[in-house]
Structure formats: C-alpha cells, structure tokens
Amino acid sequence: MVAPPPVEPRGASSATRLRRLRRSAGMRDWLAESRFDSGRTIYPIFVRPGTGPRERLASLPGIFRYSPEEGARHAGEAFEAGVPAVLLFGQSQRKDPRGKEAYNPDGPVARTIRTIKRLWPSLVVISDVCICGYTDHGHCGVRSKGHVDNDATLAILEKIAVLHARAGADFVAPSAMMDHQVAHIRGALDRAGFSDTGILACSAKFGAAANGPFRDDADPSVAVADRLEYQLDPRNTREALREIEHDIAEGADLVLVKPALPALDIIARARDRFHIPIVAYQVGGEYAMIQAAAERGWIEARAGAVESLTAIHRAGADLVVTYFALSLARWEQERVD
Ligand code: PBG
Ligand code: ZN
C-alpha cells in the first residue's frame, strides 16, 4: 500500500494563527491534551523489620524506610491525601544466599500489607516480589557457578507472591527479571486460591544509571551487584518490547517500564502495540536529579515533578510509580484551598 500524501497546511502563513489557542490560562487548560494528577500515581514505600523510628534514605531526599506499623500509617496518610495505590519494598538485615527472609510470614512486607488492609481496605496494595533486599550478595536471584540461576529463583518468587497474596495484596509485582517469572507466579497464585490477585509485571526493566539511589539505599553493607545479566541493556528497544510481549502471554495484568524518562520511546511503542495498561516507574535517580537541582535552586521541584510526570503520561503510561506521589497530592490540595 502506498502511504497517502502529507496534508499540506494551506494558507499557513496568513489565516492560521496557532497562538489563538494559547491566549489565556483558561483556554490552555481547556485544550490540554493530557493531564497528570495524583489519581494516576503509585507511591513506593520501604519497610524493614522491627519497631524503631523511620530512617531517612540519603540518596532519596524526603523518602524514608519504616517499620511495618509506621509504613502502613504512612501509606494511609498518602491514601487520605489522594494517592490511590502503594508499592511496598521490603528489606531485612537477616540475609542469606537465597533471601529466605523474603517469604517469612512475619516479614516486614506481609505485616505492612495486613495492617494496611485492616485499616484502609480500599487502598490498592502492590508488593514488590524480589529477593535483593534479603540476599547477602545483593542480587535479585539465587547464585550458582558465578551466575544468577534463573530456574532456581522461580520457586522462591512463587513463595513470596503467595505470601503477599495471602496477606491481602491486590497485585504482586515481580521485579527480578527472571525468565518465566510471571507464568510461575500466576500458576502458584491460582493453585493457592488467589486467582483474583493480579500481577504487575516489571517487564522492561533496564540496568540504568538511575537505579543508583535505590541500590545505595537498599543496604550500603551489601556491595552493589551488577545486574546486567538479567536486566535490559539500555541500548535495546526490541528486546524490551519482547519482554513485555512475553509477560502478557504469561498472564500479566499490568506491565511496567522502568526507568521512565530515559525510556519514553519504549513506553510510547508499548502503548501502541499492546492493549494492556502500561505502568512506568520514575525511579530513584530520576527523582534525585530533580530534587538535587531543586536544592541548588536550579529547577523548581514542583514544576520539574509535574512536567516529568506529564511527559511520561503523554508518552503513553496510564499509571506512574513515583516518589513524588504524596507531594503531588499535597500540592493539588494547596491549589483547591
Ligand atoms: C530491584 C529493584 C530496583 C528497583 C526496583 N526494584 C533496583 C534495581 O533493579 O537496581 C529500582 C527502583 C528505583 O530505582 O527507584 N528488584
Ligand atoms: Zn531485585
């Protein structure tokens, strides 16, 4: 088929004045093609065992790691401010090569889920399913012979997912980038009677520089592991789309691309190609870049946050995981008052 000829903008030099549509703030708001607000956010919350006070995360200014009780309370605070969903990440100092604390029923994530669901049942709870917060080597999978062993990791991910589903998670979010993790988790959930628990598949996860702050803060005592054996090479597009395609075939309900701004092309192509909700993760480094520039007075934090999130949405993300979620909800409240 021959493509139709491009439509020539006839008379563009005289009659057409594109600025007519930009004359006032009201006109611009009325004609805005995309709008992003806190109703489309997912707020990451970090939890660890115990009861102590929250700890600040040095590379993620304004973000903390909480005890399960405090983490649940913070999630509730976000929900009451207008954030509809949270993504829980767990961590423990009790580490071993297989990360078995990750499926301890009294572990921090399961406890936080139970408390949130008791107090704020309509807050959407998504739980990260991975072992890097619990392994002594810092990898997202079990190691053997100098490599991360894909298939040996799957059974562990299944146990974590079932534990989180039993605790009340609405979605589990496998992020280990192991092949077939979605199929295995779907099967395990169904066998355990959790056919209504969804899967947010972290399908296209790049081994990106912007993951740095998250890793620094995960646990400074564990050496930063090179994850390029399982995460995507930032030079690749089709490989990312292939990961998404496979996860959809394996039963994903939602698919995720991360990081977000450095992967807008992937988000846009996934949006065109697949009829499934697309979630983007504005990762720690993306948040830290805006916050660091804001601290120096070089970028205004709110404008930087809103513009980056709008761009991610404009590219095709339905929902965005962002450390700005609670701030955004609060900024919106200020405007109403
Ligand atoms: C690991 C995981 C990471 C993130 C989410 N899950 C770190 C990594 O892969 O390096 C990144 C989140 C962020 O950077 O904010 N399972
Ligand atoms: Zn991991």
Side-chain angles (χ1 to χ4, degrees):
M1 239 187 45
V2 181
V7 178
E8 288 298 328
R10 304 243 256 127
S13 60
S14 54
T16 306
R17 287 184 176 271
L18 296 179
R19 286 182 50 185
R20 264 184 214 129
L21 304 184
R22 304 175 198 150
R23 280 167 59 84
S24 67
M27 181 90 77
R28 293 191 293 271
D29 280 345
W30 182 54
L31 288 166
E33 293 175 47
S34 47
R35 289 187 179 85
F36 189 84
D37 62 38
S38 59
R40 296 183 189 275
T41 61
I42 299 170
Y43 185 38
I45 294 184
F46 298 97
V47 293
R48 43 89 184 145
T51 55
R54 67 183 193 176
E55 306 145 45
R56 349 186 4 228
L57 300 183
S59 316
L60 294 171
I63 303 295
F64 298 82
R65 183 181 294 111
Y66 299 89
S67 67
E69 199 63 32
E70 293 296 318
R73 199 171 310 168
H74 189 58
E77 186 186 348
F79 180 60
E80 284 166 11
V83 174
V86 293
L87 171 58
L88 302 177
F89 286 98
Q91 185 241 53
S92 172
Q93 291 308 309
R94 287 166 68 175
K95 297 180 190 290
D96 67 81
R98 305 176 61 81
K100 64 177 190 305
E101 273 299 297
Y103 52 89
N104 175 352
D106 280 322
V109 174
R111 278 177 179 270
T112 307
I113 297 170
R114 288 192 291 262
T115 306
I116 292 174
K117 282 296 169 183
R118 183 161 46 83
L119 300 174
W120 295 278
S122 35
L123 169 57
V124 176
V125 176
I126 309 169
S127 65
D128 181 68
V129 173
C130 196
I131 59 173
C132 54
Y134 306 88
T135 50
D136 54 13
H137 44 71
H139 277 289
C140 302
V142 176
R143 261 156 38 118
S144 102
K145 302 188 192 98
H147 293 280
V148 169
D149 184 335
N150 193 88
D151 295 4
T153 306
L154 295 172
I156 300 175
L157 299 179
E158 288 181 19
K159 284 186 195 172
I160 301 169
V162 170
L163 169 69
H164 293 174
R166 183 166 289 127
D170 298 287
F171 291 87
V172 292
S175 68
M177 289 296 285
M178 296 300 124
D179 286 332
H180 310 138
Q181 60 184 9
V182 172
H184 276 253
I185 288 172
R186 184 70 272 158
L189 290 174
D190 291 352
R191 284 193 303 279
F194 298 108
S195 56
D196 286 338
T197 305
I199 300 180
L200 163 56
C202 301
S203 307
K205 173 162 157 177
F206 288 93
N211 294 340
F214 180 96
R215 293 190 193 178
D216 292 346
D217 290 325
D219 193 343
S221 69
V222 175
V224 175
D226 174 347
R227 297 177 179 174
L228 289 170
E229 198 191 349
Y230 39 100
Q231 298 185 348
L232 289 167
D233 188 315
R235 292 172 292 194
N236 297 345
T237 302
R238 289 178 300 161
E239 191 186 11
L241 295 170
R242 200 169 175 211
E243 285 279 2
I244 295 171
E245 191 170 24
H246 280 233
D247 282 354
I248 294 171
E250 290 180 27
D253 299 284
L254 310 166
V255 293
L256 181 145
V257 175
K258 79 180 180 195
L261 274 193
L264 290 183
D265 57 330
I266 313 293
I267 294 169
R269 287 178 197 195
R271 172 67 174 223
D272 283 346
R273 200 159 307 191
F274 306 113
H275 297 165
I276 189 169
I278 309 286
V279 184
Y281 195 142
Q282 181 181 52
V283 300
E286 300 181 74
Y287 170 82
M289 282 191 270
I290 294 171
Q291 293 289 57
E295 277 172 26
R296 295 185 169 210
W298 290 349
I299 281 186
E300 206 257 300
R302 178 176 178 174
V306 171
E307 185 182 322
S308 60
L309 292 165
T310 303
I312 294 161
H313 178 49
R314 194 185 67 220
D318 297 284
L319 303 171
V320 185
V321 181
T322 174
Y323 299 97
F324 285 116
L326 179 52
S327 304
L328 186 64
R330 293 208 171 119
W331 286 325
E332 289 163 5
Q333 287 173 344
E334 281 170 23
R335 231 175 48 167
V336 173
D337 295 342

